[in-house]
Amino acid sequence: MSALRTIEELGDVRGKRVLVRSDLNVPMEDGVITDDGRIRASVPTIKDLAGRGARVIVCAHLGRPKGTPEAKYSLKPAAERLGELLGHEVRFATDTVGDSAKATVEALADGEVALLENLRFNAGETSKDDAERSAFADALAGLADLYVGDGFGAVHRKHASVYDVPQRLPHAAGGLVAAEVEVLKQLTEDPARPYAVVLGGAKVSDKLGVIANLLAKVDRLLIGGGMAYTFLKAQGHEVGNSLLQEDQLDKVRGFLKEAEERGVELVLPVDVLAATEFAKDAEHEAVDATAIPADREGLDIGPRTRELFASRLADARTVFWNGPMGVFEFDAFSGGTRAVAEALIASDAFTVVGGGDSAAAVRKLGLPEDGFSHISTGGGASLEYLEGKTLPGLAALED
Ligand code: ADP
Ligand code: MG
């Protein structure tokens, strides 16, 4: 991969309109931001450009609206939080490329910052149809003189604001993207061994895809969280009402076989917390992973698994962790995630946490962020990079 141009290399940006694609995709409950990590991570690049006199136009997405405005996915709360963190007001456009966006950009003075409404309120942002995406990209590019790609969590998406706009404007990689890529290089170019990857979370089919590639690169693969049950089932165990991807069972059987052939140590849960329902106060008990009752669902890894995982991480020299080990949002089922986080904190290895929810879990559990070598803002993006895939949003920034 050729080098990414830095924002310093954009030269004099005073008076220039700079479109910054940030990742402000933060978890929200009833319009309240529950973890502002990604907004905080976006601040340095925006601050740098504004400090240099640029007219900064930030754009981002939130959640998965279907191409039309939906109040619950508005970025308005993010604009307010961003303003607090920057220490001055962020003007908010109530559309993406319409009258409000144009007027908001027009009104920007040197050194001021605006945020456009959720890009995914426009179907062109994520469209698979090149012409539809291009039309939206043209409109976005028309708002600015320069483009900065800083939304690391979205660089694996071939979306208008990520992939098409940088082809239309002089561009650079923001500080966050540059820093994330630096860490991922360390993980891919000759990582210190043993190299362990811990996978969990709920985006099972997304993440199963990465395993095929990771098996060729890692020494140990620890599987917890919602995806573990598809593995247990593939081994012939009943998983009750646990999260299960029935249609992926053959694929997973293939992984089990391949891991064995390659000598990759695949570590699965030996016990789980089996709950009567998906609820924070659900009745639950630790059961063997091979004996989950039919009317229960596994919501966390059990105590013996926590010990097992910690022991398989203790002597690793490189660890990448993506995806919570259980439903950490419920206190009763956060222990497995805490145990893995603590194992990483205790380790001297190069430790990287990736994934929006994984990073949020670290903070929610009150664990020290500096206990890890790096906490990435991108889950899918990190995983795809580790797989050796070309990420559209990085490729577009290269030339
Ligand atoms: P990340 O954002 O870190 O990549 P994901 O988005 O894949 O992680 O998954 C995070 C979600 O996975 C959390 O909301 C968590 O509650 C859920 N989860 C973890 N374990 C389980 C489980 N056993 N059953 C259901 N959901 C789970
Ligand atoms: Mg997530």
Side-chain angles (χ1 to χ4, degrees):
M1 185 192 279
S2 56
L4 298 169
R5 192 179 306 123
T6 66
I7 48 172
E8 286 72 39
E9 289 167 313
L10 286 174
D12 184 10
V13 294
R14 178 161 301 278
K16 299 250 175 71
R17 297 166 303 165
V18 184
L19 184 69
V20 180
R21 179 29 161 127
S22 297
D23 175 8
L24 307 180
N25 191 23
V26 289
M28 279 202 213
E29 264 166 43
D30 306 321
V32 178
I33 297 165
T34 54
D35 181 71
D36 66 356
R38 283 177 162 167
I39 303 181
R40 285 190 283 124
S42 303
V43 165
T45 294
I46 296 167
K47 206 171 203 159
D48 176 276
L49 291 165
R52 286 157 62 190
R55 303 175 179 197
V56 184
I57 309 155
V58 182
C59 64
H61 78 279
L62 179 73
R64 296 186 169 186
K66 303 267 175 294
T68 48
E70 261 183 85
K72 69 168 174 175
Y73 292 121
S74 174
L75 275 172
K76 185 97 209 292
E80 275 155 27
R81 185 73 191 116
L82 183 59
E84 285 163 17
L85 292 164
L86 286 167
H88 52 78
E89 194 213 347
V90 169
R91 293 171 186 265
F92 185 66
T94 56
D95 57 24
T96 54
V97 293
D99 291 343
S100 174
K102 285 176 195 146
T104 304
V105 170
E106 188 67 32
L108 276 181
D110 294 0
E112 285 190 343
V113 179
L115 174 64
L116 306 180
E117 183 53 288
N118 192 341
L119 292 166
R120 293 191 188 175
F121 285 178
N122 189 308
E125 170 66 358
T126 61
S127 179
K128 296 229 164 22
D129 174 39
D130 287 344
E132 193 183 15
R133 239 185 27 250
S134 280
F136 184 51
D138 285 341
L140 270 175
L143 295 172
D145 306 301
L146 300 169
Y147 173 90
V148 170
D150 206 32
F152 180 72
V155 291
H156 58 315
R157 304 292 187 196
K158 195 176 171 184
H159 291 169
S161 68
V162 176
Y163 177 73
D164 302 270
V165 178
Q167 300 179 39
R168 288 162 167 76
L169 291 172
H171 52 255
L176 176 62
V177 160
E180 296 271 13
V181 168
E182 213 40 60
V183 167
L184 289 169
K185 276 192 183 148
Q186 275 196 63
L187 286 176
T188 41
E189 293 168 6
D190 200 20
R193 293 183 184 275
Y195 177 12
V197 168
V198 189
L199 287 182
K203 289 180 191 158
V204 181
S205 30
D206 279 14
K207 294 186 187 185
L208 286 178
V210 316
I211 292 177
N213 288 305
L214 286 178
L215 284 174
K217 301 189 162 74
V218 305
D219 303 304
R220 290 176 198 157
L221 189 56
L222 285 62
I223 310 264
M227 68 193 327
Y229 303 94
T230 304
F231 280 79
L232 293 170
K233 178 87 177 179
Q235 287 184 325
H237 309 303
E238 286 313 318
V239 297
N241 296 326
S242 309
L243 207 61
L244 175 65
Q245 292 263 281
E246 201 84 50
D247 56 343
Q248 304 283 324
L249 284 171
D250 279 340
K251 193 188 230 176
V252 168
R253 282 187 202 104
F255 294 154
L256 292 168
K257 187 156 166 276
E258 193 189 336
E260 195 172 322
E261 284 162 7
R262 287 185 179 273
V264 172
E265 189 188 346
L266 190 66
V267 190
L268 294 175
V270 290
D271 62 348
V272 307
L273 296 190
T276 49
E277 59 176 330
F278 189 93
K280 69 175 192 317
D281 50 3
E283 214 178 287
H284 60 274
E285 62 185 331
V287 301
D288 281 354
T290 55
I292 302 173
D295 58 350
R296 298 229 172 183
E297 56 186 302
L299 295 187
D300 197 6
I301 54 173
R304 286 195 292 123
T305 305
R306 296 172 198 179
E307 265 178 50
L308 172 66
F309 280 17
S311 79
R312 303 319 292 138
L313 294 171
D315 66 334
R317 292 181 59 212
T318 305
V319 182
F320 178 79
W321 169 35
N322 168 271
M325 295 294 101
V327 184
F328 72 94
E329 295 92 336
F330 302 155
D331 289 343
F333 304 105
S334 64
T337 302
R338 175 183 293 279
V340 164
E342 284 175 348
L344 264 63
I345 292 170
S347 144
D348 297 327
F350 182 60
T351 53
V352 179
V353 183
D357 290 288
S358 311
V362 166
R363 291 186 283 265
K364 177 176 186 287
L365 296 173
L367 297 164
E369 290 180 74
D370 61 4
F372 305 88
S373 306
H374 180 71
I375 298 184
S376 173
T377 52
S382 310
L383 285 170
E384 290 196 17
Y385 189 105
L386 295 184
E387 284 182 72
K389 285 192 183 159
T390 299
L391 307 188
L394 294 181
L397 291 177
E398 269 172 21
D399 39 59

